């Protein structure tokens, strides 16, 4: 039995859940201001650990245990958000400043993308209790990445520095490599049903257009998803052969995780200062003024030397 999904792109429920995310984040921020930093620390900790537990306990949902062992992969690292959900409580409590930067920047951005393109809630192959549980789980597990990531910085448990943003693309690529290994484990190695089980070719894990690529390539770790080809295929011939792309039987393949790094550097250059500005605008202003003064001194020295 096939039914229409409750959430579709642009319908009432699509915008309702986005509104609810920002309302919950605003409400949690207000609550933390009223009850103090000790409450905020415990609140963030409880939410992150509960989300960590849900990542594994969802295997007891009917939708998951009915599709075991295929859905066992869902409690591993199939995408960026899954990785962050697992590591977030450890990063919050014991991570260094670079890991916390990653949790803030990529956690918030990847969760917002999940809300903007809610692939789980838009499924039409499940219904009834299965759909209700999956809808609830999807939004519950992504919301803490935004709310807790924001509160971690807003409450002063981590201080941002836009000069550290150079490390974000490197860490991002490293996490994508983990998702690649995750899919290789369940595909070519364990050969679980439903996963691409070859390396190249029609059913290859490295082939972004292969059978099962929609699941295996959730975070575009193996190359651009087919649905973005109409917009970006013109760019593919200009990517660096050997470093970013290679060909097998005339078909273009993308170097896993590495191919996307230049684009992540560009996005980081544009977005990181904007996400840092609300919290570190004074320090950023001082940096800009210092760089301006240094540039002015260099020009004076060059003129004096002529």
């Amino acid at each position: 039995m096939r039914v229409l999904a409750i959430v579709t792109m642009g319908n009432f429920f699509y915008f309702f859940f986005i509104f609810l995310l920002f309302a919950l984040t605003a409400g949690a921020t207000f609550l933390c201001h009223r009850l103090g930093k000790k409450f905020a620390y415990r609140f963030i900790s409880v939410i992150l650990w509960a989300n960590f537990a849900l990542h594994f306990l969802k295997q007891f949902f009917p939708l998951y245990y009915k599709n075991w062992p295929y859905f066992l992969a869902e409690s591993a690292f199939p995408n960026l958000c899954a990785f962050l959900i697992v590591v977030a409580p450890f990063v919050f409590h014991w991570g260094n400043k670079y890991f916390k930067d990653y949790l803030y920047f990529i956690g918030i951005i990847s969760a917002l993308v999940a809300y903007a393109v809610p692939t789980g809630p838009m499924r039409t192959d499940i219904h009834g209790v299965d759909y209700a549980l999956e809808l609830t789980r999807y939004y519950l597990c992504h919301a803490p990445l935004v709310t807790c990531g924001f509160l971690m910085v807003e409450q002063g448990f981590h201080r941002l520095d836009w000069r550290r943003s150079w490390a974000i693309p490197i860490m991002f690529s490293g996490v994508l490599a983990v998702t690649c290994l995750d899919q290789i484990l369940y595909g070519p190695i364990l050969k679980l049903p439903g996963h691409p089980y070859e390396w190249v070719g029609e059913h290859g894990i490295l082939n972004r257009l292969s059978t099962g690529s929609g699941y295996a390539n959730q975070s575009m770790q193996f190359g651009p998803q087919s649905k973005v080809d109409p917009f970006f295929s013109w760019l593919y011939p200009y990517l660096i052969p050997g470093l970013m792309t290679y060909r097998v039987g005339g078909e273009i393949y993308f170097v896993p995780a590495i191919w996307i790094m230049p684009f992540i550097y560009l996005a980081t250059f544009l977005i990181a200062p904007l996400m840092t500005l609300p919290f570190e605008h004074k320090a950023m202003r001082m940096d800009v003024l210092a760089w301006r003064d240094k540039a002015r001194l260099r020009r004076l020295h060059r003129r004096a030397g002529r």
Side-chain angles (χ1 to χ4, degrees):
M1 176 180 179
R2 291 179 66 86
V3 294
L4 293 177
I6 292 175
V7 178
T8 57
M9 292 295 289
N11 75 352
F12 169 79
F13 291 102
Y14 173 86
F15 290 109
F16 171 75
F17 285 112
I18 293 176
F19 168 79
L20 189 60
L21 171 67
F22 287 101
L24 288 173
T25 302
T29 303
F30 174 78
L31 197 63
C32 289
H33 276 284
R34 288 294 302 270
L35 300 179
K37 291 190 68 171
K38 286 185 178 180
F39 169 83
Y41 186 86
R42 291 171 185 158
F43 176 82
I44 296 171
S45 181
V46 168
I47 295 298
L48 291 180
W49 281 117
N51 206 25
F52 172 87
L54 177 60
H55 185 68
F56 300 99
L57 291 176
K58 67 185 177 185
Q59 292 297 325
F60 294 98
F61 290 6
L63 176 64
Y64 288 83
Y65 67 69
K66 285 188 297 189
N67 291 280
W68 198 91
Y70 171 61
F71 271 20
L72 180 64
E74 291 283 352
S75 287
F77 306 120
N79 53 55
L80 292 169
C81 290
F83 179 89
L84 278 164
I85 288 168
V86 173
V87 304
F90 300 96
V91 170
F92 175 66
H93 287 288
W94 303 290
N96 63 25
K97 56 188 178 183
Y98 290 97
F99 287 126
K100 289 181 179 178
D101 280 347
Y102 186 88
L103 179 60
Y104 172 76
F105 289 114
I106 304 301
I108 290 177
I109 292 172
S110 59
L112 289 178
V113 169
Y115 270 73
V117 188
T119 53
M122 290 193 297
R123 292 179 61 176
T124 57
D125 59 333
I126 55 176
H127 62 280
V129 174
D130 285 347
Y131 183 83
L133 287 173
E134 182 61 13
L135 177 77
T136 304
R137 182 209 63 80
Y138 183 92
Y139 285 112
L140 280 180
C141 75
H142 287 96
L145 295 178
V146 175
T147 302
C148 294
F150 175 80
L151 286 175
M152 177 182 68
V153 175
E154 198 276 337
Q155 288 292 305
F157 300 121
H158 174 57
R159 181 169 182 176
L160 299 172
D161 187 339
W162 67 324
R163 290 172 294 185
R164 290 197 302 265
S165 60
W166 62 268
I168 296 297
I170 298 174
M171 300 173 71
F172 183 92
S173 188
V175 173
L176 277 188
V178 173
T179 66
C180 290
L181 293 174
D182 176 270
Q183 294 305 309
I184 289 170
L185 172 67
Y186 289 104
I189 295 179
L190 295 182
K191 293 183 171 58
L192 290 188
H195 294 261
Y197 53 84
E198 299 172 351
W199 292 101
V200 296
E202 182 181 358
H203 303 291
I205 190 77
L206 299 176
N207 181 4
R208 66 196 176 91
L209 305 177
S210 70
T211 304
S213 65
Y215 179 84
N217 197 31
Q218 294 180 47
S219 297
M220 298 199 294
Q221 57 265 50
F222 296 111
Q225 296 174 354
S226 58
K227 60 188 175 184
V228 306
D229 273 352
F231 306 100
F232 297 106
S233 57
W234 62 270
L235 182 63
Y236 301 163
Y238 300 99
L239 302 182
I240 303 172
L243 179 63
M244 300 171 72
T245 64
Y246 59 98
R247 290 187 177 272
V248 177
E251 182 70 38
I252 187 171
Y253 282 69
F254 293 78
V255 179
I258 301 298
W259 78 271
I260 202 172
M261 281 191 68
F263 303 104
I264 300 303
Y265 266 107
L266 177 61
T268 301
F269 176 78
L270 296 173
I271 298 174
L274 295 177
M275 293 182 67
T276 307
L277 186 62
F279 304 104
E280 292 293 308
H281 56 277
K282 291 182 180 179
M284 293 174 69
R285 182 175 180 273
M286 294 299 295
D287 285 341
V288 171
L289 291 176
W291 290 340
R292 185 194 65 181
D293 292 341
K294 287 180 180 178
R296 188 175 296 169
L297 284 173
R298 284 196 294 269
R299 288 197 298 270
L300 290 175
H301 283 307
R302 285 197 296 269
R303 289 173 184 173
R306 291 177 182 172

